[in-house]
Amino acid sequence: MFTVTGEGPVFHLYNEFVSLVLAVRTDPEGGYQEVCLTHFGYPIDEPLNTLDRLILENGSSNDSLRQIMPYAFPTEGRGDYRVPLFAEAYEDGGNCTELYYEDYRYAAGKPKLEGLPQTYTEQDDEAETLTIILRDPLTKLKVEASITLFAHRPAIASSMKIVNEGSEKLTLSRAGSLCLALPGHFDMVQLWGSWGKERYVQRVPSATLVRSISSSRGASGHEHNPFAILCDPNADEFSGRCFGVSFVYSGDFEIAVQENAYDQTRLVCGLNPRSLDWPLAPGECFQTPEAVAVYSEQGFNGVSHVYHDLYRTRLCRGYWRDRPRPVLINNWEGTTFYFDHEKIMDIARSAAALGIEMLVLDDGWFGQRNNDHSSLGDWFVNYDKLPRGIKGLAEDVNALGMKFGLWFEPEMISPISELYEAHPDWCLHADGRPRTTARHQLTLDMSRTDVQDFVIESVASMLRSAPIDYVKWDMNRNFSEIGSSVSNRHGLPHRYMLGVYRVMEALIQEFPTVLFEGCSSGGGRFDPGFLYYMPQFWTSDDTDAVERLKIQYGTSFAYPNCTISAHVSASPNHQVGRVTGIKMRGDVALGGNFGYELDLPNQTTDEEKEVIREQVKLVKKIRETTHSGVFTRLLSPFEGNITAWSYADENRVILCAYRVLSTVKRGPVYVRLHDIPQGTYQDQNGKTYTERDLMNAGIKLEFPRQDFASMVTIFEKVK
Ligand code: GLA
């Protein structure tokens, strides 16, 4: 719903869960009009309270007042020293920008952003969009700030279109997507990590300094995820005010939070200014990606529930969005580069016999790729390994009743490759400097249209040549020497990302029923931007069941289960050497896009195969619930020895609990469930419970006497 009142005017976007108020203040001294964000959070009736009015009526030509204005679109250079949303550099060296209110537009629905990932609506009544038009009176720079409020969700999407309507060339050094001005102090929760340790939860207490997370690696990265929560200091998983922020983008980003001495907090989210430097000539326009902000009074789970539902249904797209994902077997951890047609068929036959639905052939099927030193870019079949080609292999796999999937790393080039011999200038490089390799490879310059077209054609011609149902899209290094043969470095990381988005869009349009899965040395580009093109992501190269508890728990803060790929691998585990049982490994993976990652005939005993058969059966039975049900975190692996979470929909509740180390039994441990739909439920032993029993009395956790133990209880709804 939307109201606009007063001469100011004051804009109020609201629904039953959230209100956002943008107030235009006319400066009593200067006469100019600035836009302030006077409220974002709980639903309110009166858009302005007395405090807001006092702030708005003060003159701000004095810099001490500029420092306390809750600006919605703050700029650089005019006495507000906090982190700005926008900053421009002019040819004469100036960097001062003022953005004054000019006009607004309001419309039902959500406009489409060209060439960028985005949340979307299917009907116009699912959202409403307010566009505020701002202008710098001196340079004529125009900003159109679009804020969409989703119906029946405490969520907004915000993005900016910047148009140079002046006569002077300028450079955008900062072009943010969202600014929140919030009264009070907040803890910041963020997801940090490294390779094999993605999205660990970290809570940083309130402090009067800039807390920022970012990437300047060319990908959203393993180190920080483009996601944060600002929360009350006493907020937890179930209660407390929280503001979630998520950036729908896969490259360099920054989320910066700054508190001042006047109990005010500003959050700015957008492209990383370190690598933007975007030249904007007269007449040109720049569209920022969008950021999605969420408000909840039900703690971190409350924030996650909103993102899960929005991203599952209105960010992910296409044929696979609502469909249960096939249980797969991937050969990577089982064979690495050492396989041939027969070896893969042995795995496929063994998998088919256990009910597994798809075989994925990973790295090593192309060029001369027998290790990671060569051949990226040479996307033609290695007939020494696969005499019947990918087509022959895929057909043989299909004959077993299974789908077939294939690995690519399309954005890369090995210096030892036919592609590099033909096009040494196609990689990112800085003239006169050595080319830094990582995993023996360089990055293709995806900002070039000819390179984009080559990548589209390489992947498309393979997909046209054989019955391929799934693609794993990997990206195993970050940028260095960010330069190009055809353009200067300005804005190159963003142009790279736009190139990747163009390529992915072309491929998903041509192959709408292929299931695409993102990957980046595990989960190094697990972000909402990617999920717009590929509805699932390989969560981490660390497949150890104990390590995965933290990785999957943290990932679930922002991302729904239907995007989180989770596989059972061999024991001892490849990455950490830990020995865990097949049950624990299966129970940890079962809620994600489930699969196996081992040499099934040679790395499992007959007994384990029988467990696998039951696991596959169970996953097929419950996967609709784990895909679309409400996922709730109950006990955190970051806080104790026991982790628990649950999935709930109209049919059943699934409680999963894991104990890392065995301890002396000192009385029963109970876990209370949350967010359970009303009804009567029955567990595997025929015992019945109401939703109130599950949420108030809780369930007794019983583990076998051993380390690395798990328990999965399914409560079927009986009425
Ligand atoms: C990356 C991926 C792995 C695997 C290898 C293959 O590390 O994360 O899953 O595909 O590449 O080289």
Side-chain angles (χ1 to χ4, degrees):
M1 264 116 30
F2 173 68
T3 60
V4 47
T5 46
E7 294 191 356
V10 175
F11 304 101
H12 186 195
L13 274 173
Y14 63 100
N15 62 23
E16 65 275 40
F17 300 117
V18 73
S19 276
L20 178 138
V21 180
L22 288 170
V24 177
R25 63 174 293 280
T26 304
D27 190 87
E29 292 158 25
Y32 48 79
Q33 294 194 304
E34 298 173 314
V35 186
C36 293
L37 179 71
T38 54
H39 179 84
F40 177 59
Y42 64 94
I44 52 177
D45 298 327
E46 267 300 306
L48 285 187
N49 65 29
T50 326
L51 177 70
D52 298 324
R53 283 185 206 284
L54 279 177
I55 289 180
L56 298 176
E57 282 160 14
N58 277 314
S60 74
S61 49
N62 167 336
D63 78 349
S64 66
L65 283 164
R66 289 231 166 94
Q67 291 171 60
I68 60 163
M69 280 296 160
Y71 290 127
F73 311 105
T75 56
E76 184 86 292
R78 298 201 64 243
D80 168 4
Y81 303 105
R82 292 166 288 178
V83 184
L85 189 63
F86 301 105
E88 282 74 43
Y90 303 98
E91 299 232 283
D92 66 0
N95 75 337
C96 182
T97 303
E98 339 167 54
L99 286 177
Y100 296 148
Y101 173 74
E102 186 173 281
D103 203 355
Y104 80 97
R105 290 194 300 268
Y106 168 80
K110 181 172 191 286
K112 210 170 151 25
L113 302 180
E114 275 317 305
L116 283 166
Q118 59 207 282
T119 52
Y120 59 90
T121 50
E122 289 188 340
Q123 313 286 342
D124 271 356
D125 63 2
E126 290 180 12
E128 50 195 332
T129 300
L130 169 66
T131 304
I132 301 279
I133 299 155
L134 306 143
R135 188 181 296 277
D136 185 319
L138 189 66
T139 63
K140 306 291 179 237
L141 183 77
K142 182 167 96 172
V143 172
E144 296 189 4
S146 288
I147 299 177
T148 298
L149 172 68
F150 294 93
H152 314 303
R153 303 176 195 267
I156 59 159
S158 166
S159 69
M160 310 286 151
K161 183 174 163 190
I162 304 166
V163 193
N164 185 353
E165 293 191 348
S167 53
E168 197 187 325
K169 188 172 165 216
L170 55 87
T171 302
L172 298 176
S173 48
R174 220 174 226 286
S177 298
L178 167 82
C179 175
L180 293 182
L182 301 170
H185 300 277
F186 301 93
D187 285 4
M188 179 179 181
V189 175
Q190 62 105 2
L191 307 174
W192 69 281
S194 61
W195 175 82
K197 197 184 171 108
E198 293 90 340
R199 290 168 298 284
Y200 272 34
V201 179
Q202 184 177 56
R203 184 169 184 153
V204 187
S206 149
T208 41
L209 42 77
V210 179
R211 287 168 287 175
S212 89
I213 55 172
S214 66
S215 167
S216 49
R217 296 169 168 265
S220 50
H222 293 83
E223 284 66 22
H224 289 147
N225 199 261
F227 171 81
I229 295 176
L230 292 183
C231 63
D232 283 337
N234 61 356
D236 60 20
E237 282 285 19
F238 307 103
S239 65
R241 277 190 319 157
C242 293
F243 300 86
V245 176
S246 166
F247 192 38
V248 185
Y249 189 65
S250 313
D252 294 357
F253 74 93
E254 183 190 62
I255 298 176
V257 178
Q258 184 165 17
E259 290 179 23
N260 64 13
Y262 312 102
D263 292 344
Q264 293 171 313
T265 299
R266 173 181 292 172
L267 177 146
V268 169
C269 168
L271 296 168
N272 190 337
R274 260 178 76 181
S275 59
L276 186 59
D277 277 348
W278 191 275
L280 202 65
E284 283 183 349
C285 117
F286 181 82
Q287 174 64 57
T288 75
E290 73 177 29
V292 175
V294 155
Y295 173 70
S296 170
E297 287 161 18
Q298 279 88 43
F300 312 142
N301 270 307
V303 169
S304 301
H305 290 163
V306 180
Y307 280 115
H308 289 175
D309 198 66
L310 181 68
Y311 284 177
R312 178 172 59 79
T313 61
R314 292 295 180 267
L315 173 71
C316 295
R317 299 179 280 170
Y319 180 84
W320 285 100
R321 185 187 78 180
D322 303 325
R323 286 186 163 75
R325 311 291 160 74
V327 176
L328 64 82
I329 179 132
N330 176 307
N331 71 305
W332 176 247
E333 285 198 26
T335 70
T336 64
F337 299 99
Y338 308 105
F339 59 82
D340 57 18
H341 184 102
E342 261 324 296
K343 173 88 193 166
I344 297 299
M345 284 310 297
D346 283 346
I347 296 177
R349 277 187 285 268
S350 167
L354 299 175
I356 294 173
E357 299 163 303
M358 178 161 77
L359 179 126
V360 176
L361 180 63
D362 211 281
D363 195 355
W365 57 266
F366 51 92
Q368 302 302 315
R369 183 90 165 165
N370 295 315
N371 52 44
D372 59 12
H373 290 239
S374 82
S375 303
L376 294 172
D378 295 348
W379 300 110
F380 39 83
V381 182
N382 180 335
Y383 284 94
D384 293 338
K385 285 183 183 175
L386 303 172
R388 294 186 5 79
I390 289 294
K391 183 164 188 282
L393 181 62
E395 285 170 354
D396 288 358
V397 169
N398 286 172
L400 298 170
M402 295 172 90
K403 293 178 186 298
F404 179 81
L406 195 61
W407 180 96
F408 291 88
E409 197 179 349
E411 299 159 61
M412 295 292 148
I413 179 166
S414 304
I416 305 173
S417 65
E418 292 184 20
L419 184 66
Y420 194 74
E421 271 173 35
H423 298 288
D425 58 332
W426 272 16
C427 61
L428 294 179
H429 62 278
D431 283 338
R433 305 214 180 265
R435 299 178 178 193
T436 306
T437 54
R439 208 190 186 204
H440 316 287
Q441 64 200 52
L442 297 165
T443 309
L444 279 174
D445 177 2
M446 295 295 291
S447 72
R448 293 176 60 148
T449 321
D450 52 356
V451 174
Q452 295 163 19
D453 291 342
F454 164 81
V455 171
I456 293 171
E457 199 41 40
S458 307
V459 178
S461 57
M462 278 310 301
L463 297 187
R464 287 181 209 123
S465 74
I468 298 169
D469 299 296
Y470 159 108
V471 166
K472 179 172 171 186
W473 184 286
D474 212 339
M475 193 256 199
N476 281 312
R477 66 157 293 178
N478 292 142
F479 289 3
S480 60
E481 294 89 37
I482 304 167
S484 165
S485 298
V486 295
S487 62
N488 65 27
R489 69 167 185 89
H490 290 295
L492 189 51
H494 183 55
R495 277 185 282 121
Y496 178 102
M497 237 22 269
L498 295 177
V500 173
Y501 289 148
R502 175 184 165 238
V503 167
M504 295 197 295
E505 185 68 32
L507 289 168
I508 63 172
Q509 292 304 334
E510 182 173 346
F511 304 99
T513 57
V514 169
L515 173 58
F516 284 87
E517 171 161 335
C519 176
S520 179
S521 290
R525 201 159 56 174
F526 199 139
D527 55 61
F530 233 76
L531 297 177
Y532 182 64
Y533 302 91
M534 307 198 169
Q536 57 187 56
F537 213 95
W538 180 226
T539 312
S540 177
D541 277 345
D542 188 343
T543 51
D544 172 67
V546 173
E547 301 263 294
R548 274 288 181 131
L549 292 175
K550 288 184 176 159
I551 296 169
Q552 291 173 200
Y553 191 95
T555 303
S556 79
F557 268 63
Y559 306 103
N561 284 299
C562 60
T563 65
I564 297 176
S565 293
H567 300 170
V568 173
S569 62
S571 175
N573 177 268
H574 257 232
Q575 291 79 13
V576 301
R578 191 177 349 257
V579 176
T580 55
I582 189 84
K583 174 169 161 42
M584 169 80 168
R585 280 175 276 153
D587 285 351
V588 172
L590 118 168
N593 297 308
F594 186 80
Y596 293 85
E597 183 103 15
L598 36 69
D599 179 355
L600 204 46
N602 298 306
Q603 288 180 315
T604 50
T605 62
D606 287 348
E607 235 173 40
E608 285 172 332
K609 287 195 184 67
E610 283 318 306
V611 178
I612 291 176
R613 188 192 305 283
E614 291 309 312
Q615 283 173 345
V616 173
K617 234 193 256 166
L618 177 68
V619 167
K620 288 179 184 170
K621 178 175 152 196
I622 63 173
R623 65 184 157 188
E624 274 180 26
T625 307
T626 55
H627 177 110
S628 328
V630 173
F631 175 79
T632 304
R633 295 176 299 271
L634 301 169
L635 295 173
S636 168
F638 296 98
E639 288 167 14
N641 193 27
I642 298 178
T643 300
W645 52 59
S646 66
Y647 310 84
D649 66 5
E650 287 309 314
N651 300 319
R652 60 179 66 85
V653 172
I654 305 163
L655 168 65
C656 301
Y658 313 92
R659 188 184 62 191
V660 176
L661 294 180
S662 186
T663 54
V664 172
K665 207 170 170 189
R666 303 179 66 183
V669 177
Y670 285 83
V671 61
R672 286 166 55 201
L673 280 73
H674 287 254
D675 304 298
I676 303 301
Q678 204 180 0
T680 304
Y681 297 86
Q682 197 166 62
D683 70 11
Q684 288 109 314
N685 304 318
K687 203 166 163 207
T688 58
Y689 309 78
T690 65
E691 84 285 352
R692 289 166 67 91
D693 299 331
L694 295 175
M695 293 197 284
N696 292 308
I699 293 299
K700 188 156 124 195
L701 298 182
E702 286 173 302
F703 297 103
R705 273 186 41 203
Q706 63 178 73
D707 292 342
F708 319 129
S710 58
M711 139 182 183
V712 172
T713 307
I714 299 178
F715 303 91
E716 295 289 348
K717 194 163 177 183
V718 285
K719 56 177 192 268

